[in-house]
Amino acid sequence: MHGHVPAPPQPRPAATALVVIVRVIFVSVTLLSLGILSWITMLRIAILRRRPLDWALFWGTCVLVVFALVEFGTGPDDEPGTLGYIALAVLFTLAAGVTTHYLIVDIGHYRAVSAVRAASGVPTAAPLPYGPPPYGYVPPQPPAYPQPQILPQPPLPQPPHSQRIDRVRAELDELSDYLRKEQGR
């Protein structure tokens, strides 16, 4: 196949409002659960960046949350022991640490994505889905790819006319006449 194949379409950048709403949701989940659901935020970071360190931090957070919940579930009934206070401190530290880590990583990630898009010429602001475009907005033009040039094909060479073909053709005509006569009876 000749010609230029267009590149796959780039994903549209997330709207700023959507990014902020997602940040507020993940920070709220972590803080309002007092660190118990901090593993959800760490899972978001690990999926977003796909780095081994982020996955290790996610699993470490899971282990710490399970440790704290097990300690609270098996501790003494009348008065919390030292391990209970340690588990509570771990959860509070997770809530603060995961929130801070998430905000730093998420903001940095979207800044890097915006910088890459700006360097590659991809528009960084998503076009408005409804209504008229904002004043001065020029929609991006698709790149002009050269059209493949169609060259005329030379005619196929005709095989030489032979006597054998004439003989086969004559025999087929005779056979055809014979079959018509047989069907006509």
Side-chain angles (χ1 to χ4, degrees), residues 14 19 22-23 44 48 105-115:
V19 171
V22 169
R23 285 181 190 151
R44 163 111 170 109
L48 185 69
V105 167
D106 196 55
I107 291 170
H109 174 76
Y110 283 105
R111 279 191 185 156
V113 168
S114 296

Side-chain angles (χ1 to χ4, degrees), residues 45-56:
I45 292 172
I47 291 172
L48 185 69
R49 296 198 329 169
R50 295 185 177 126
R51 294 183 181 170
L53 176 63
D54 294 324
W55 285 105

Side-chain angles (χ1 to χ4, degrees), residues 3 13 15 18 20-21 26 29 42 45 66 77 82 103 108-109 135 138 185:
L18 180 63
V20 170
I21 289 171
F26 279 100
V29 163
M42 293 304 291
I45 292 172
V66 167
D77 292 333
T82 305
L103 289 174
H109 174 76
Y135 179 75
V138 178
R185 284 189 192 172

Side-chain angles (χ1 to χ4, degrees), residues 12-42:
R12 283 182 31 185
T16 306
L18 180 63
V19 171
V20 170
I21 289 171
V22 169
R23 285 181 190 151
V24 168
I25 289 172
F26 279 100
V27 166
S28 298
V29 163
T30 301
L31 292 176
L32 293 177
S33 70
L34 302 176
I36 294 173
L37 297 178
S38 60
W39 62 270
I40 295 173
T41 305
M42 293 304 291

Side-chain angles (χ1 to χ4, degrees), residues 35-44 46 53-71 90-91 94 98:
I36 294 173
L37 297 178
S38 60
W39 62 270
I40 295 173
T41 305
M42 293 304 291
L43 179 62
R44 163 111 170 109
L53 176 63
D54 294 324
W55 285 105
L57 290 173
F58 162 69
W59 288 111
T61 302
C62 289
V63 167
L64 290 174
V65 168
V66 167
F67 158 74
L69 292 177
V70 167
E71 176 53 37
V90 164
L91 285 179
L94 273 178
V98 167

